[in-house]
Amino acid sequence: MNPYPWEDFRPHQQTPYIYGYTCDELTQQILTMGYREVHGPTLFGLLHRYGPNLPSWFDGQRLPRGLWHKITSSDKLDPIHRVEAHQSDDGSTKYRFHISGGSVEGIYMPFPGRHTLCISSQIGCAMGCTFCATGTMGLHRHLSAAEMVSQVLNIKQRHPDETGKTKRFNVVFMGMGEPLHNLDQVLKAVSVLTDPAGLNLSPRDVAVSTSGLIPKIEQMATVKKRPQLMVSIAATTDEARSAIMPVNRAYPLEDLMRCLERYPLRKGERVMLSYVLIENVNDTEEDARRLAAMSQRFPSLVNVIPMNEHEGSPGFVEPDESRTNAFANILLAHGVFTTIRRSRGRDVAGACGQLVQKIARKKNARTYV
Ligand code: SAH
Ligand code: SF4
């Protein structure tokens, strides 16, 4: 068995879609089509402000005749073929995006004053965490930057607030996939989302969550426009972590902690540590104390995520509420910034690949439609 399955990945789709371009790249593109440079930022701004389902009445406005039509009717604009929405009782909406070779998911989560868009970076995942529905799929392929940007635009477009404007929002790469396994395209997507001519997000409004690929965390540390870092811990000893997160065999906990100690944080920034809490697996008092000690080695906050149960991991159960609270209280007593985050959209099949799994199982266990 290959102990490093993530080295054996398949290349992302190479076809350049327009939503994967930065403003400069789009401008270069229209220059080659015979249009003037000045129209690049206008076109880029309109494409990103109005999203993939663009109103045809813009035709010609502020742009040379024909340019808008050529771009918006191009089959190289948007890599997402079809979008399905599943409304949850808790206000969140789960989306399934059909793309070439499969589908991925995203979630819209409203919070007071802002909303959070959770998107995917791969079809499936190579990391094989045993508690995770996506992990049971294996890796099918990386997503391109355009496929990530388009998920954001598709979700954002469907949630204008009452005044017609969109609220402040942030983007988290916590859907399907290991974003740091596909770092080049993730960083490309971040540079498009933060482009001043488009959505103009701050890099700090974007977060990537990783299972702990140390060389990739080190690579991200050198990037100027780097997103916020979230790390999934899930266990407090190497033995326990290697059993549920195979990535720990290559990058054990102590190495990961040292890497996070060195990670260059900006003013006020913290590393967000996610801890999926599983009954009788990682929920003891000693676990809480060890997690507190780890988190105090660098500025951090801990998100405790009670296990979202699914068919793919029958032995993994959510602890009862009092046990979850007791775990969080130990962290708090040690002065750790702690939140308990129940997965949003549980009634529409929970976090991390579970919607896709459910539908795939119903139709044909071999294809991830
Ligand atoms: N691959 C990245 C990001 C996607 S997973 C990572 O692992 O960080 C996003 C988060 O969902 C991770 O923190 C992971 O631990 C958590 N998660 C996965 N399966 C879960 C489940 N069944 N219940 C609760 N959280 C889960
Ligand atoms: Fe991949 Fe993250 Fe799921 Fe692990 S938890 S299998 S890294 S998506």
Side-chain angles (χ1 to χ4, degrees):
M1 196 188 122
N2 178 1
Y4 309 118
W6 47 91
E7 299 299 346
D8 172 31
F9 59 85
R10 307 201 185 156
H12 60 83
Q13 202 181 348
Q14 294 294 342
T15 332
Y17 276 87
I18 293 167
Y19 274 125
Y21 292 158
T22 59
C23 183
D24 285 351
E25 289 166 345
L26 182 65
T27 306
Q28 287 307 314
Q29 191 68 26
I30 68 165
L31 278 171
T32 65
M33 292 160 69
Y35 294 98
R36 284 192 301 139
E37 194 176 344
V38 64
H39 299 304
T42 313
L43 178 61
F44 185 86
L46 289 172
L47 289 175
H48 285 259
R49 188 149 356 116
Y50 292 101
N53 304 309
L54 304 140
S56 58
W57 49 265
F58 272 116
D59 205 8
Q61 281 192 14
R62 293 200 279 148
L63 289 169
R65 185 192 296 263
L67 174 58
W68 181 251
H69 179 73
K70 250 185 220 157
I71 295 289
T72 56
S73 61
S74 162
D75 62 359
K76 285 283 164 271
L77 177 64
D78 184 9
I80 291 179
H81 309 321
R82 191 163 58 84
V83 181
E84 272 170 49
H86 302 259
Q87 184 74 43
S88 161
D89 295 341
D90 65 12
S92 61
T93 311
K94 186 132 180 166
Y95 289 99
R96 208 148 71 89
F97 301 109
H98 294 263
I99 52 178
S100 168
S103 69
V104 292
E105 62 183 47
I107 311 177
Y108 162 80
M109 292 170 276
F111 292 101
R114 73 181 166 93
H115 47 206
T116 295
L117 277 48
C118 171
I119 62 163
S120 297
S121 55
Q122 297 176 317
I123 305 183
C125 181
M127 300 300 142
C129 305
T130 53
F131 51 83
C132 171
T134 310
T136 63
M137 288 174 65
L139 176 63
H140 288 230
R141 71 167 172 86
H142 291 326
L143 298 196
S144 65
E147 287 167 329
M148 298 181 235
V149 170
S150 179
Q151 290 177 64
V152 172
L153 297 177
N154 266 287
I155 300 178
K156 184 178 160 283
Q157 180 174 60
R158 286 168 173 79
H159 298 278
D161 75 5
E162 308 70 42
T163 60
K165 290 190 224 125
T166 39
K167 283 187 279 189
R168 238 177 79 85
F169 68 98
N170 58 319
V171 174
V172 295
F173 286 82
M174 269 185 107
M176 293 168 73
E178 165 54 58
L180 264 56
H181 186 194
N182 185 15
L183 185 59
D184 293 349
Q185 289 299 303
V186 166
L187 290 177
K188 180 75 196 296
V190 173
S191 61
V192 175
L193 295 170
T194 55
D195 198 303
L199 292 180
N200 195 18
L201 286 181
S202 153
R204 294 179 70 160
D205 286 334
V206 183
V208 297
S209 176
T210 179
S211 56
L213 296 180
I214 294 176
K216 298 293 177 178
I217 297 175
E218 286 169 347
Q219 190 184 332
M220 206 167 91
T222 64
V223 175
K224 193 159 172 273
K225 273 191 170 183
R226 59 181 176 275
Q228 296 233 42
L229 180 63
M230 301 175 79
V231 182
S232 302
I233 300 294
T236 58
T237 64
D238 277 328
E239 198 190 351
R241 194 163 187 265
S242 294
I244 57 174
M245 295 185 73
V247 67
N248 194 72
R249 294 172 209 159
Y251 305 116
L253 269 173
E254 183 55 29
D255 294 357
L256 181 58
M257 291 302 118
R258 291 210 182 120
C259 163
L260 297 180
E261 280 173 341
R262 290 192 302 269
Y263 193 77
L265 294 169
R266 290 157 288 206
K267 197 162 180 269
E269 192 180 358
R270 291 164 186 278
V271 179
M272 289 182 264
L273 302 177
S274 303
Y275 193 88
V276 48
L277 195 67
I278 312 169
E279 188 175 82
N280 296 332
V281 172
N282 62 6
D283 63 343
T284 63
E285 279 180 40
E286 295 73 49
D287 281 315
R289 276 192 226 106
R290 282 192 291 259
L291 181 59
M294 276 189 232
S295 71
Q296 279 157 342
R297 293 174 58 171
F298 43 86
S300 69
L301 57 83
V302 174
N303 271 326
V304 177
I305 315 174
M307 172 71 196
N308 198 7
E309 295 168 22
H310 57 91
E311 293 165 31
S313 303
F316 293 88
V317 177
E318 176 181 352
D320 67 35
E321 207 171 326
S322 62
R323 199 161 170 94
T324 303
N325 291 341
F327 189 91
N329 281 335
I330 298 174
L331 297 174
L332 287 167
H334 283 79
V336 179
F337 284 91
T338 309
T339 55
I340 300 178
R341 185 167 294 175
R342 292 209 152 65
S343 308
R344 300 291 292 258
R346 289 190 158 220
D347 53 327
V348 289
C352 214
Q354 290 174 38
L355 180 71
V356 174
Q357 281 290 95
K358 213 169 205 175
I359 291 162
R361 201 161 278 141
K362 238 188 262 165
K363 284 193 178 160
N364 170 351
R366 287 170 60 82
T367 52
Y368 300 98
V369 277

